[in-house]
Amino acid sequence: MGFPPTVSGPGALKIENSFLVPAPRDRVWRFIQSAEEVGACVPGCEHVDVVGEGKFKARVRVKVGPIKALFNIDIERTEEEPMESASYSTRGEEGGRASRLSARSRLTLRAAGEKETEVAYASEISIAGRLGRFGAGVMKKKADDLGGQFAEALRQRIADTPA
Amino acid sequence: MAEKVPVALFVNGENRQVLVDPRQNLLQTLRADLGLTGAKCGCGHGVCGACTVLIDGEAVLACLALTVAQAGREIGTVEGLADDEASAALVQAFVDCGALQCGFCTPGMIVAARALLQRNPRPTVEEIRHGLGGNVCRCTGYVKIVDAVRTASGAVQP
Amino acid sequence: MIYLEPESVPEAVAALAGDEDARCLAGGQTLMAMMNADLVMPSTLVGLRRIAGLHEVTETEGMLRIGAMVTHARLAGEERLEGARAVVTGSGGGGDDVSISGRLEGARAVVRDAARQIAHPAVRNRGTIGGALCHADPQADLPGALVAAGAHVEIAGADGVRTAPVDGFFVDYLESSLEPGEMLTAVLIPEGPQGAVGAHLKFSRTDGDYAIVSVSSVVAMQDGVCSYARVVVGSAGPAPLHLDAADALLTGSGLDDAVLLQAGDLLAAAADPVDDVRGSSDYRRLLLPALLARAVGAARERFDG
């Protein structure tokens, strides 16, 4: 019978998390300045282009069981305080299909000793169109999962990159 | 747009040929291609019961039945129940009991009740409630609908 | 989209091969809803209704083999879904259907009890056991019930047929362990321990809705001591929640309230439910021990009689 009903709406999806990266803050800061490096850590991200100062285009594939989507997204850095934090605004659309997403995200760095940095992120995502009809409960779990994968990939990638 | 495919349906005792998008559900076909607008689209995902029809004698939700997968099956809609004595008694009981207000859910209720009485000619109130559990009514509060089905079953005099 | 109706399992497997957006259509009670909402857009839909073997229920070597296309309505009325007979009689809770003859006993009754509480008559007339499993929704009733029953799944693919315990079949939300090109053909349900009783207790907002939390249990008692327990919780995470440690706590005990609460707390600590319109994650976790106590307590009372 059906599926969990529509409850996604503007601001319905909030994810936040923080994790430790085994590198000093200036290195983590340099790392997150690189769209290519960050893109490589985003699960399902197939492509990132720098299109201007603080402006990026990306293609991201997401999947929950049989539900699949490919989003073309535009990301713009809206605020930046070097070594401290950066805010982004994201807008995306499915090619030819009727879902749209928009998100506001903030990334914060805090030195945790000399060799470690705490990375915190918070995102508020709204999804409209066909994917907005999918149950928000599972969507949130999936978003948290993707956040966890992103954190793990970022940590791994920084650890694997020579200083 | 997907290429349309021909399907031979057997609806209310008649063979009907339709040309449909293979993704189309039976409710869309009944309403748009066959002009049978008794079954209603309340939700499109199987929670309201307004599109209940009979397939091979069983209550089924038309919005969750793929049209191309219904070839060879016997489809009965509320329109087709008009000539059936037991169904006529149900309809009359709905009228006598005042079991409808806006009427949107009524075709689904009648078909679901018909299927229930076919399986169980003398249902208890509890059994009627479970039998119509998948049919949502936003007006009546269900009391009169249960009364109507009991009346049609002969359990109580109208 | 292409629609096909093969008449044998090998033909169906061939139709699925090499196309990861091909899907099977069983009863369609969820897939059609998702297609109506444009959430799922199969390239090929392989209708299974003409494959006769998928509609059969047979008994083989102590197992009841239920074809993937057997509907919930048929399961709910399936007399052989009783397993080894319990001495006591009685009936489980919830959603009684007029077509069911009543008495539910034996370990396998957990499956029958779950089937009769799925949605409403029209959905049960079409929805199938195979479809319900492959959709892999942890909020649905049959996944947990089949884990509690210790069922196995029979899966056909290009390399032939394999069977596996149903426990490992549920991987994540809406994700099963089926590989691309594979299809589920049957569910095998063992008779279960002698004298056990199986029941599915569902707590939901309204009759027929998805469970806020559900507890599927198979319990046996001898002389006031629990000789077998297998409890599984639905709507408690990405897959049916089953902990050997919880079963171990119950087995050998007198199933007194303190033990039930202890097992419930253990499961609640392992639960990771969703937050949604049916209930918050915290609410579901709070409910769990109470429901477990109610479910297993009811089983205990049947042995007291």
PDB file of all heavy atoms in Angstrom, chain A residues 27 157-163:
ATOM      1  N   ARG A  27      45.781  23.112   6.731  1.00  0.00           N
ATOM      2  CA  ARG A  27      45.768  22.120   5.646  1.00  0.00           C
ATOM      3  C   ARG A  27      44.339  21.762   5.259  1.00  0.00           C
ATOM      4  O   ARG A  27      44.006  21.631   4.077  1.00  0.00           O
ATOM      5  CB  ARG A  27      46.522  20.859   6.086  1.00  0.00           C
ATOM      6  CG  ARG A  27      47.621  20.508   5.117  1.00  0.00           C
ATOM      7  CD  ARG A  27      48.167  19.128   5.379  1.00  0.00           C
ATOM      8  NE  ARG A  27      47.566  18.162   4.506  1.00  0.00           N
ATOM      9  CZ  ARG A  27      47.513  16.866   4.780  1.00  0.00           C
ATOM     10  NH1 ARG A  27      48.001  16.404   5.908  1.00  0.00           N
ATOM     11  NH2 ARG A  27      46.979  16.053   3.910  1.00  0.00           N
ATOM     12  N   ARG A 157      40.820  11.018   2.538  1.00  0.00           N
ATOM     13  CA  ARG A 157      41.526  11.692   1.456  1.00  0.00           C
ATOM     14  C   ARG A 157      42.607  12.637   2.002  1.00  0.00           C
ATOM     15  O   ARG A 157      43.706  12.727   1.449  1.00  0.00           O
ATOM     16  CB  ARG A 157      40.521  12.464   0.603  1.00  0.00           C
ATOM     17  CG  ARG A 157      40.970  12.599  -0.839  1.00  0.00           C
ATOM     18  CD  ARG A 157      39.836  13.088  -1.717  1.00  0.00           C
ATOM     19  NE  ARG A 157      40.396  13.576  -2.967  1.00  0.00           N
ATOM     20  CZ  ARG A 157      40.662  12.807  -4.006  1.00  0.00           C
ATOM     21  NH1 ARG A 157      40.394  11.523  -3.956  1.00  0.00           N
ATOM     22  NH2 ARG A 157      41.194  13.312  -5.100  1.00  0.00           N
ATOM     23  N   ILE A 158      42.272  13.309   3.097  1.00  0.00           N
ATOM     24  CA  ILE A 158      43.268  14.200   3.689  1.00  0.00           C
ATOM     25  C   ILE A 158      44.415  13.379   4.290  1.00  0.00           C
ATOM     26  O   ILE A 158      45.595  13.714   4.122  1.00  0.00           O
ATOM     27  CB  ILE A 158      42.630  15.131   4.743  1.00  0.00           C
ATOM     28  CG1 ILE A 158      41.682  16.108   4.030  1.00  0.00           C
ATOM     29  CG2 ILE A 158      43.706  15.896   5.515  1.00  0.00           C
ATOM     30  CD1 ILE A 158      41.036  17.131   4.933  1.00  0.00           C
ATOM     31  N   ALA A 159      44.035  12.275   4.955  1.00  0.00           N
ATOM     32  CA  ALA A 159      45.075  11.431   5.561  1.00  0.00           C
ATOM     33  C   ALA A 159      46.011  10.857   4.502  1.00  0.00           C
ATOM     34  O   ALA A 159      47.209  10.689   4.724  1.00  0.00           O
ATOM     35  CB  ALA A 159      44.414  10.308   6.357  1.00  0.00           C
ATOM     36  N   ASP A 160      45.446  10.563   3.315  1.00  0.00           N
ATOM     37  CA  ASP A 160      46.234   9.930   2.247  1.00  0.00           C
ATOM     38  C   ASP A 160      47.054  10.921   1.429  1.00  0.00           C
ATOM     39  O   ASP A 160      47.893  10.521   0.625  1.00  0.00           O
ATOM     40  CB  ASP A 160      45.300   9.169   1.277  1.00  0.00           C
ATOM     41  CG  ASP A 160      44.719   7.931   1.945  1.00  0.00           C
ATOM     42  OD1 ASP A 160      45.167   7.594   3.045  1.00  0.00           O
ATOM     43  OD2 ASP A 160      43.805   7.320   1.355  1.00  0.00           O
ATOM     44  N   THR A 161      46.748  12.214   1.582  1.00  0.00           N
ATOM     45  CA  THR A 161      47.459  13.207   0.781  1.00  0.00           C
ATOM     46  C   THR A 161      48.685  13.693   1.560  1.00  0.00           C
ATOM     47  O   THR A 161      48.547  14.109   2.710  1.00  0.00           O
ATOM     48  CB  THR A 161      46.543  14.424   0.490  1.00  0.00           C
ATOM     49  OG1 THR A 161      45.283  13.932   0.091  1.00  0.00           O
ATOM     50  CG2 THR A 161      47.105  15.295  -0.608  1.00  0.00           C
ATOM     51  N   PRO A 162      49.862  13.649   0.946  1.00  0.00           N
ATOM     52  CA  PRO A 162      51.044  14.135   1.660  1.00  0.00           C
ATOM     53  C   PRO A 162      50.886  15.636   1.966  1.00  0.00           C
ATOM     54  O   PRO A 162      50.345  16.378   1.155  1.00  0.00           O
ATOM     55  CB  PRO A 162      52.195  13.900   0.678  1.00  0.00           C
ATOM     56  CG  PRO A 162      51.626  13.272  -0.543  1.00  0.00           C
ATOM     57  CD  PRO A 162      50.148  13.167  -0.404  1.00  0.00           C
ATOM     58  N   ALA A 163      51.347  16.032   3.130  1.00  0.00           N
ATOM     59  CA  ALA A 163      51.183  17.417   3.562  1.00  0.00           C
ATOM     60  C   ALA A 163      51.924  18.387   2.656  1.00  0.00           C
ATOM     61  O   ALA A 163      52.972  18.056   2.121  1.00  0.00           O
ATOM     62  CB  ALA A 163      51.684  17.564   4.994  1.00  0.00           C
TER      63      ALA A 163
END
